[in-house]
Amino acid sequence: QVQLVESGGGLVQTGGSLRLSCAASGRTGSMYAMGWFRQAPGKEREFVAAIISSDGSSTSADSVKGRFTISVDNATTVSLQMNSLKPEDTAVYYCNARVEGSYWGQGTQVTVSS
């Protein structure tokens, strides 16, 4: 089992920045990738960004390219730096880990006011 704990959400004005962190614990020895998804009210959960543990390569959704950056702080912690935030970024952000299965955090709310 893998446990994920997210932190760093909150309320910010348009154009502002937030940094989300996700700490993994448990059976993380075979971590393949960690990433972030988000779900806005009334919408399906969507991919935001992910990073491969073995080589640090990353990918992100077109909607956040150039504004959001995913990084690995250490072997079990990943962060998402979000700049130039827009109201449409408002959502619950979920951390995801791929470790012989897929695990999810409880989510953290990000609200961008206009």
Side-chain angles (χ1 to χ4, degrees):
Q1 290 287 333
V2 175
Q3 296 77 43
L4 302 173
V5 177
E6 301 118 329
S7 61
L11 173 64
V12 65
Q13 291 185 331
T14 297
S17 298
L18 282 173
R19 185 178 180 88
L20 306 183
S21 290
C22 175
S25 60
R27 299 184 66 177
T28 60
S30 301
M31 183 77 73
Y32 169 68
M34 293 183 73
W36 292 92
F37 289 71
R38 67 186 182 186
Q39 187 166 18
K43 295 189 177 181
E44 297 204 350
R45 191 171 297 188
E46 64 176 5
F47 170 76
V48 176
I51 191 162
I52 305 298
S53 300
S54 59
D55 62 9
S57 60
S58 63
T59 183
S60 59
D62 288 343
S63 58
V64 305
K65 272 188 171 66
R67 301 188 298 123
F68 291 11
T69 303
I70 188 169
S71 62
V72 174
D73 296 337
N74 56 53
T76 57
T77 303
V78 64
S79 293
L80 183 70
Q81 179 65 43
M82 306 186 294
N83 298 327
S84 302
L85 283 160
K86 306 175 182 179
E88 51 263 45
D89 294 319
T90 295
V92 177
Y93 283 70
Y94 295 91
C95 180
N96 175 262
R98 300 295 178 97
V99 187
E100 301 175 351
S102 183
Y103 296 87
W104 296 92
Q106 80 285 355
T108 185
Q109 177 70 46
V110 171
T111 303
V112 185
S113 63
S114 57

